Amino acid sequence: DLILTSGISKKKVYVSKVLSSLLVSGIFSLIYILALMLIYLVILRDIAISLLTLRYILPLTAFISIFSLMGLMLSVIFRSSKASLVASLIIGGLLMPRLFIVIVDALSDLFGFSETVSQIFYLISPALIMDALSGYSEISNIFWGLFFFAVYLITNILLGSYIFDRQDELNYGE
């Protein structure tokens, strides 16, 4: 894709990929939420419950964007779509909420972590971040969810940009 962007710096190319990834994540979550709203409206005929689903747009966007940016970063790191797919599947599998909770609980038992520390470690999983950001959690869980969401975003963007900028493909315009 760098041949198509001749004359544009690699940093701008990566930033545009990140922005388009975030935009698509928002659009997909909006489509998903609107479909749920329609289903609730048709089945239950209750507009209040249907409108209640709107509160999940931002948590769902956060969830989708974490995996979207992680996939973008992994594709840059591995430079192979097959290797990045395998890595994405492994990481996605490890971050599945139930498996991740079992892993954190096992580590908590092994190292004697308190319940509070375990609750914070749970929020490493993007699905549990989404749950914390939905608004039903305690305020401290919401802040920890926002913190881990920011860590995911910043890490994925900075690491992906750093590696992408230093890869040896030439952008013929530079």
Side-chain angles (χ1 to χ4, degrees):
D1 60 351
L2 290 179
I3 292 173
L4 297 175
T5 59
S6 180
I8 301 173
S9 70
K10 290 178 84 171
K11 187 173 279 310
K12 286 182 183 177
V13 170
Y14 194 77
V15 167
S16 68
K17 287 182 177 194
V18 166
L19 292 176
S20 63
S21 176
L22 292 173
L23 180 66
V24 168
S25 298
I27 291 170
F28 281 166
S29 66
L30 183 64
I31 291 170
Y32 183 80
I33 293 298
L34 289 176
L36 281 178
M37 285 178 65
L38 185 62
I39 290 170
Y40 283 139
L41 194 59
V42 168
I43 292 175
L44 300 176
R45 302 201 191 307
D46 187 355
I47 196 156
I49 291 176
S50 179
L51 291 174
L52 188 63
T53 59
L54 288 174
R55 76 182 302 181
Y56 295 102
I57 287 178
L58 291 178
L60 186 59
T61 301
F63 175 75
I64 295 170
S65 64
I66 287 172
F67 282 109
S68 173
L69 291 175
M70 191 181 301
L72 180 61
M73 180 195 64
L74 290 172
S75 70
V76 167
I77 290 173
F78 290 112
R79 301 173 77 178
S80 159
S81 58
K82 290 179 186 174
S84 64
L85 175 65
V86 170
S88 294
L89 289 173
I90 291 170
I91 292 170
L94 289 174
L95 292 176
M96 286 175 35
R98 292 180 191 215
L99 176 61
F100 194 77
I101 288 172
V102 169
I103 292 170
V104 170
D105 286 344
L107 290 174
S108 293
D109 290 343
L110 183 66
F111 295 113
F113 296 146
S114 68
E115 183 65 28
T116 305
V117 172
S118 295
Q119 291 292 328
I120 293 170
F121 280 134
Y122 290 153
L123 294 176
I124 293 174
S125 172
L128 298 174
I129 290 173
M130 182 179 72
D131 184 50
L133 296 179
S134 68
Y136 290 111
S137 302
E138 295 176 9
I139 194 73
S140 65
N141 279 353
I142 293 172
F143 284 131
W144 278 111
L146 287 171
F147 171 75
F148 282 115
F149 175 61
V151 167
Y152 271 115
L153 287 184
I154 292 168
T155 302
N156 286 329
I157 291 170
L158 291 180
L159 186 61
S161 176
Y162 177 80
I163 292 170
F164 185 72
D165 198 37
R166 280 149 185 79
Q167 284 179 338
D168 59 356
E169 294 100 9
L170 296 176
N171 187 350
Y172 298 108
E174 290 184 341

